Amino acid sequence: MKIYTKTGDKGQTSIIGGEKVSKASNRVCSYGTVDELNSYLGVIISQMKSSLDVKKDLIEIQQILFDCGTDMATPNASKGYRTKSESAVWLEECIDKYLQSPEPLTEFILPGGDPIASHLHYARTIARRAEREVVATASEEEINEEVLKFLNRLSDYFFAAARLINHREGRPDVSYRRNGKVFYN
């Protein structure tokens, strides 16, 4: 089986349903960034030696991200969407659980700490970019709004997971130098 089709040689690609669109379209950019994020999670997962509960959750997130990418490649609901509201609810439960351990924040913190936590902070920024691209697509055409909700929660999830990993590894959060109190608990 050949994996190259040559159909993209002129900057076009087929989305679900067979419609040809520009590879530079917001729709293609959005599911491309979701794919990038999913691949980056594979990098993180491959390096995790501890926090196996978080690793398990990241593997589940990869499955849901594949659904998100499929939904973004689907131009209308008649083909059926895969991403469901339960996915965002599940992320909220994970976030709440992860934030029970580290001290509550009152200031902005810098990304970093343990290498896995640093990777999770980077994944958070990719998730935010994916979210912006999904919003751009939604301003032009129909999308599964559950994808947008999931990606919005996902960046918060990565932030909470990074803080949890740093806490477990004994790496303190580093406050932004010009902070004032910004979070009130």
Side-chain angles (χ1 to χ4, degrees), residues 66-102:
F66 212 94
D67 289 342
C68 290
T70 301
D71 287 351
M72 290 310 299
T74 303
N76 60 57
S78 67
K79 301 290 182 198
Y81 289 137
R82 295 180 179 184
T83 310
K84 306 295 183 207
S85 62
E86 293 82 13
S87 298
V89 171
W90 172 72
L91 280 180
E92 291 170 359
E93 292 167 358
C94 290
I95 292 165
D96 293 344
K97 179 177 62 176
Y98 290 1
L99 290 179
Q100 291 175 3
S101 293

Side-chain angles (χ1 to χ4, degrees), residues 95-115:
I95 292 165
D96 293 344
K97 179 177 62 176
Y98 290 1
L99 290 179
Q100 291 175 3
S101 293
E103 289 293 319
L105 287 176
T106 59
E107 302 176 324
F108 288 117
I109 61 169
L110 300 178
D114 180 80

